[in-house]
Amino acid sequence: MNHWHQYPFVRIIIPFIAGIWLADYLNAYSLLLNWAIILLLCFSGFFIFFPAIFQLYRHRHYFGLLSSFVLMLMSFQITSLQINKSQEDIPKIPFQEKKNILVKVLDQVVEKKNSYQVKAKMVLLKDSLKYQNTDLNLIMYLEKSGKASNIRSGDYLFSTCILNRIRNADNPHDFNYQQYMARKGFYAQCYAGKDQYTIIKKGNQNIIKQNIRKIRKHILKSLKGKKQDAKEYSLAAAIILGFDEDLDPETRASFAGAGAMHILCVSGLHVGIIYLFFSSLLGFFKKFKHGNLLRSILVIMIIWLYAAITGFSPSVLRAASMFSFVAAGKMIRRQSYIYNTLAASAFLILLIDPMSLFSVGFQLSYTAVFFIVWLQPVFYRLFYFSHWLPDRAWAIVTVSVAATMGTFPISLYYFHLFPNYFMLTNLVVIPLSFLIVFNGILLILFSFFEIGQIVFSFSLKFMIISLHKSVAFIESIPGSTFRDVYLSETELFFLYVIMMLFFTMIIQRNYKLIKYAMSILLLVLLYNTLNKFSEISQAEMIAYNINKGMGVDFIQGKQHFFLTDSSTLRNTSGLNYAVKENWVARKLELARFIMTNQDFSSDNLHKKGNFLIFKNKLFLLLEKKADCLLPHSLQIDCVLLLNNLRMSLKEIDSLLSPRKIVITSKISDYAFSRYTTESTATGSTILDGRHKAIMVKLD
């Protein structure tokens, strides 16, 4: 990009994103903001009192730097204000106590496996004898009932419940759920049974939202038809509307393994089809005076109606914004530059909601489009086909390769997998998804006519079955997915730097850049090599925080032994959620499972009854009081408290005199309160793992 004046929004978006990232990193106002304001005033004063300096050609960059600084400061302030506003009521909330609250429902209820989830804003909180106003967003989980399913956005609920902070499990390399929800503005949660809340006021339904919901309901009903089974309907709803709540886990896993997950969420492909379809359909407007203006306005309105029906996901917002700018450019007969259009749509979204920057969908969507625009023409020019079919197939391949090159580092970072046959998958799914969306539009338009509904329902069913079978076949091919790959944030950043340098070198034929790319690559390899040497010599015990369960890792290099019980082992999803990220990040071998009620022996670890020896350390698995009746001469290095006992920590210490006592996640808060009723001034180090993982080095 040699002509920066053609891309004003590209120059705007870079400092704007920097300000958002900085505000999120600092989490609120800080001394940095005060210094930034002082520097800004100094620059502004210099500009006001010495304007002639900025008019000199050699000083032209100063104004650009000052403008970038102002934009960064502006986005920093906008984001900080949003963070502070969502957090300001947290100090006055009495968590872990049963309170009376009045909440306003913010969105439609979402059915979960065991409850209904409601996003709400707390309006009133009863503290002592009076009510106080609050403005805190919270997640409510309501017992499944007909009453809960009838709750609508705008309703007011009065509830008596225990408020809890949204917290992480705090396991190593765990998904930061607390940060994820905080970026959405939610810091608290509660559960209410069907008798613990009352709908005291039905909210006034927003007429626009109400009509959009009716349209969505009608479309879903049309897609369901009379002959679509549940799996076909769920796929059609996901591809056409992004409505993926009915997709079963097997279908999700199949599409993820084949590299076709992107067609199950509404994106630029879908919005592009809508744009092309209705632009062509309304082409006759060109014959009339101001017809081009009217057509562009109608197309933009249809695009945003579709975005509203699909739920305004980041990918839809990005695509809707982009195509709106393209349509507006055609309306005023001006050329639109794709980089500028892309940056303008990102700026619009981030201006409305700065926290969208941290959405995985936002990152994947914009990265994919940027790399398609940047690299696809380069790849496409590598081969020339004179016939239409191979040329179109090659175009699809190059789009697929460009998008995948751009997004695979993010996919590895978040999902730890890579679909090896993505090119083959996209050759099939992109044309089929185009036909499915096109067919879906026709089905919706002709749903009022029985013959039209029958014809287009049948053709949609055939396409959905073809798509599903094709994806399942590709996913079943051996080696279809490269799994359990871990990237740290540092590795993610440098991988993108290396990629940008490498492709810039290829495109611009600037081979001097190779030395920078190779230098960074060598530094990354050196960093990884040093980490591997430290990991080989590592010896550690980790007691994980597992909901209603327990699990303890004994790690020696890449080998590890996992101590657990049968009830935890049966809870596969909870166990994987707690431990898998750490196992993948540390590149550990397959775990050797040890049950608490079984003996075990290997070269590195021995377990007999309630005793376990690892790295010359003696562990006692304490499940009952009788386990404490041991000779005083026996030196216990660590006691693992695995069960709720009627005794205090001081008693345990006096009977066993261990160096450490680890309270595992199996211990309830109520039992822990009994342990601590007496003085806990002991000679042992107490490590509380009820709400976080405990890591103990054994070297």
Side-chain angles (χ1 to χ4, degrees), residues 391-403:
D391 181 67
R392 290 301 88 199
W394 176 238
I396 291 172
V397 168
T398 55
V399 167
S400 174
V401 171

Side-chain angles (χ1 to χ4, degrees), residues 11-231:
R11 291 180 290 172
I12 289 171
I13 198 67
I14 295 171
F16 198 82
I17 286 175
I20 295 172
W21 178 85
L22 190 62
D24 178 76
Y25 181 76
L26 298 173
N27 199 32
Y29 285 109
S30 67
L31 290 174
L32 181 63
L33 178 61
N34 298 328
W35 280 106
I37 293 172
I38 292 169
L39 286 171
L40 177 63
L41 292 173
C42 291
F43 272 114
S44 301
F46 195 72
F47 178 74
I48 292 169
F49 293 107
F50 304 99
I53 293 177
F54 292 94
Q55 294 172 7
L56 296 174
Y57 182 77
R58 66 178 180 274
H59 295 153
R60 66 193 184 280
H61 299 299
Y62 294 161
F63 181 77
L65 289 172
L66 180 61
S67 301
S68 297
F69 187 78
V70 170
L71 281 166
M72 187 178 74
L73 179 62
M74 183 180 76
S75 64
F76 183 95
Q77 287 178 313
I78 291 170
T79 310
S80 296
L81 286 171
Q82 181 174 322
I83 293 171
N84 282 336
K85 187 177 185 301
S86 61
Q87 292 180 342
E88 62 185 0
D89 283 334
I90 292 177
K92 59 185 180 184
I93 303 298
F95 291 109
Q96 305 294 329
E97 296 180 22
K98 185 174 284 189
K99 293 293 180 182
N100 295 324
I101 60 173
L102 178 68
V103 302
K104 180 181 179 181
V105 178
L106 300 176
D107 206 347
Q108 297 300 107
V109 296
V110 177
E111 186 174 2
K112 299 293 184 180
K113 185 178 180 181
N114 300 313
S115 62
Y116 282 103
Q117 185 193 72
V118 177
K119 293 180 180 178
K121 181 184 292 291
M122 192 191 307
V123 180
L124 291 174
L125 168 69
K126 188 177 182 181
D127 187 18
S128 300
L129 298 175
K130 63 178 182 178
Y131 283 93
Q132 58 176 322
N133 295 321
T134 65
D135 194 27
L136 183 73
N137 291 339
L138 78 156
I139 304 292
M140 294 186 72
Y141 294 95
L142 306 178
E143 182 183 354
K144 281 196 170 182
S145 65
K147 181 169 71 171
S149 63
N150 289 324
I151 293 173
R152 297 289 179 265
S153 176
D155 291 352
Y156 284 84
L157 309 181
F158 182 82
S159 176
T160 302
C161 60
I162 298 175
L163 295 170
N164 296 295
R165 286 290 301 267
I166 294 176
R167 296 190 183 279
N168 293 323
D170 278 341
N171 288 310
H173 300 100
D174 198 7
F175 170 65
N176 196 335
Y177 180 70
Q178 183 179 8
Q179 183 187 64
Y180 171 78
M181 293 306 297
R183 284 169 172 170
K184 292 178 175 292
F186 292 90
Y187 296 89
Q189 60 187 358
C190 67
Y191 176 84
K194 61 183 178 181
D195 299 323
Q196 294 178 304
Y197 69 93
T198 307
I199 304 173
I200 63 170
K201 182 183 176 183
K202 298 297 288 185
N204 295 323
Q205 298 294 313
N206 184 302
I207 190 66
I208 297 175
K209 288 184 178 180
Q210 199 172 12
N211 287 326
I212 287 172
R213 280 196 293 270
K214 285 181 179 178
I215 295 171
R216 186 190 296 127
K217 189 175 180 180
H218 170 73
I219 293 172
L220 290 172
K221 185 179 178 181
S222 300
L223 293 176
K224 201 162 192 177
K226 297 178 181 178
K227 297 185 178 181
Q228 304 280 16
D229 67 19
K231 184 166 286 189

Side-chain angles (χ1 to χ4, degrees), residues 460-584:
L460 181 64
K461 180 185 179 76
F462 174 76
M463 293 174 192
I464 290 291
I465 291 172
S466 301
L467 175 69
H468 188 237
K469 287 188 175 180
S470 300
V471 169
F473 171 75
I474 295 170
E475 195 270 336
S476 67
I477 300 173
S480 63
T481 310
F482 188 39
R483 296 182 183 275
D484 295 340
V485 184
Y486 180 82
L487 279 185
S488 66
E489 291 183 0
T490 305
E491 290 169 329
L492 176 69
F493 173 76
F494 283 116
L495 181 56
Y496 271 116
V497 171
I498 292 168
M499 287 171 58
M500 298 292 283
L501 287 171
F502 178 77
F503 286 119
T504 302
M505 177 192 72
I506 298 284
I507 294 168
Q508 297 183 359
R509 298 186 180 181
N510 183 359
Y511 298 106
K512 293 180 180 179
L513 295 175
I514 190 67
K515 61 182 179 183
Y516 299 112
M518 293 304 297
S519 299
I520 295 171
L521 181 60
L522 287 172
L523 286 173
V524 172
L525 290 174
L526 178 63
Y527 170 79
N528 283 334
T529 303
L530 293 173
N531 276 345
K532 284 182 180 179
F533 275 117
S534 65
E535 287 170 358
I536 289 171
S537 60
Q538 70 186 351
E540 190 175 17
M541 183 209 75
I542 302 175
Y544 294 94
N545 176 18
I546 302 174
N547 185 31
K548 298 179 181 178
M550 61 78 57
V552 182
D553 245 339
F554 296 90
I555 301 172
Q556 171 63 57
K558 297 295 183 183
Q559 189 180 44
H560 68 125
F561 305 88
F562 189 73
L563 176 71
T564 188
D565 56 26
S566 56
S567 62
T568 304
L569 203 58
R570 285 194 298 269
N571 181 17
T572 309
S573 60
L575 181 61
N576 283 336
Y577 183 81
V579 305
K580 189 173 181 180
E581 290 289 320
N582 187 49
W583 291 357
V584 171

